């Protein structure tokens, strides 16, 4: 049975599917990381701009919060 053509074809198909799934998983993980990184950088930029907009410099040149 271990030497039949049917068994070898099934084995080749199973190995091919596992390899394809592994490659797809690595690709999806990479794309997800890029997407999350872009989103976090964008959100941090917005937060930074809000902080800069809410900061004023007084007469002593120290930052103070605007009311």
């Amino acid at each position: 049975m271990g030497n039949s053509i049917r068994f070898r074809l099934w084995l080749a198909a199973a190995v091919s599917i596992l390899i394809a799934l592994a490659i797809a998983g690595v690709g999806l993980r990479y794309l997800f990381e890029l997407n999350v990184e872009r989103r976090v950088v964008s959100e941090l930029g917005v937060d930074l701009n809000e902080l800069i907009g809410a900061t004023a410099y007084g007469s002593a040149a120290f930052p103070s919060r605007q009311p």
Side-chain angles (χ1 to χ4, degrees):
M1 166 105 177
N3 213 12
S4 70
I5 186 92
R6 180 182 289 179
F7 175 74
R8 287 183 282 171
L9 286 174
W10 274 102
L11 184 62
V15 169
S16 298
I17 289 171
L18 288 176
I19 290 172
L21 285 173
I23 291 171
V26 168
L28 286 173
R29 180 178 175 192
Y30 176 72
L31 290 174
F32 179 73
E33 283 182 19
L34 283 179
N35 186 36
V36 169
E37 185 178 345
R38 264 191 243 133
R39 193 178 106 219
V40 168
V41 167
S42 175
E43 289 177 5
L44 287 174
V46 169
D47 291 344
L48 179 63
N49 287 335
E50 288 177 0
L51 286 171
I52 290 171
T55 303
Y57 288 95
S59 61
F62 292 109
S64 62
R65 186 169 175 252
Q66 291 178 350

